[in-house]
Amino acid sequence: HLGIGDDVIALLMVGRFVPKKGFATGIKAMQAIRSRHSNARLLIVGSGLLEPEYRRIMKESGTEEAITLLGEVLPADLKYYYSACDIFLMPSERFPSDGLNVVVVEAMACGCPVVASSVGGNDLVVFDGVNGYLHRAGDAEDLAAKVEMLIDDQHRRLDMGIASKSLVDERFNWKAIAAYYLAHYHALQS
């Protein structure tokens, strides 16, 4: 459906087109990524007022052919996009602050390694070097370098995807979260 062949490294970002998501940083990183990995493509699911800005950045950086703005997708269909991607990106900005994005955990549940900024709630679920990498917020070069580490090492990329899925299965599912809160509640009662 997306026209992604086996030779393509598919990167994915999902969210509203608002400043706190940091998608401009992800788009800017593509210029550096494509200079070494011409088979990398960035897919972006979402919409919003910043779309003209994103298109301008794509044009100025010469990455228009490497980035596809997919528009809005039904929530029930997101799993297909997560499953099709090789690396999930969440380059949230420090200001305005962004909390933990549910899409990060959803991507992890589909076995995606994650490259995310070290702000908001990203570091609650992305453990640097375990299931992905954390980069400095707003730093397109740092983001590109972390993505390239995963592109260059397919085994690491697959291992981190397995680690993402395991973390969701063991710690970040509703049953585990409810048990955590109930245990803390009962501890407060004693």
Side-chain angles (χ1 to χ4, degrees):
H1 172 73
L2 294 173
I4 299 173
D6 292 338
D7 60 331
V8 171
I9 298 293
L11 312 175
L12 177 67
M13 295 191 301
V14 176
R16 294 177 294 125
F17 292 0
V18 295
K20 68 181 182 176
K21 299 299 179 191
F23 287 3
T25 301
I27 293 167
K28 290 173 185 173
M30 279 305 288
Q31 187 173 25
I33 293 166
R34 289 281 292 193
S35 70
R36 288 194 49 230
H37 302 281
S38 60
N39 62 332
R41 282 189 55 205
L42 176 59
L43 308 171
I44 306 174
V45 171
S47 65
L49 296 176
L50 290 179
E51 184 172 337
E53 174 72 7
Y54 295 165
R55 291 192 183 280
R56 182 190 61 74
I57 295 167
M58 290 163 53
K59 184 174 183 173
E60 288 176 1
S61 64
T63 57
E64 290 172 298
E65 73 286 342
I67 300 173
T68 304
L69 301 178
L70 296 165
E72 294 185 28
V73 170
L74 293 172
D77 292 339
L78 281 174
K79 62 185 173 236
Y80 302 117
Y81 293 86
Y82 297 133
S83 296
C85 85
D86 295 291
I87 304 166
F88 186 78
L89 310 180
M90 183 45 71
S92 304
E93 293 293 331
R94 184 168 307 282
F95 300 107
S97 63
D98 200 14
L100 174 61
N101 292 281
V102 172
V103 295
V104 175
V105 179
E106 291 174 345
M108 289 169 56
C110 291
C112 296
V114 179
V115 177
S117 59
S118 57
V119 301
N122 291 335
D123 61 354
L124 297 173
V125 295
V126 179
F127 301 97
D128 199 53
V130 176
N131 67 317
Y133 292 113
L134 296 170
H135 69 88
R136 291 182 299 276
D139 189 334
E141 289 179 18
D142 191 33
L143 171 57
K146 301 292 172 65
V147 168
E148 288 181 40
M149 288 169 52
L150 288 173
I151 292 173
D152 290 338
D153 190 340
Q154 179 182 9
H155 294 293
R156 180 181 293 170
R157 189 169 68 240
L158 294 174
D159 287 346
M160 286 185 171
I162 291 167
S164 280
K165 177 82 169 85
S166 294
L167 283 164
V168 170
D169 290 345
E170 296 165 14
R171 294 173 58 185
F172 304 125
N173 62 67
W174 287 118
K175 186 175 180 179
I177 292 168
Y180 171 83
Y181 280 107
L182 284 172
H184 277 71
Y185 174 78
H186 291 300
L188 292 172
Q189 296 296 317
S190 340

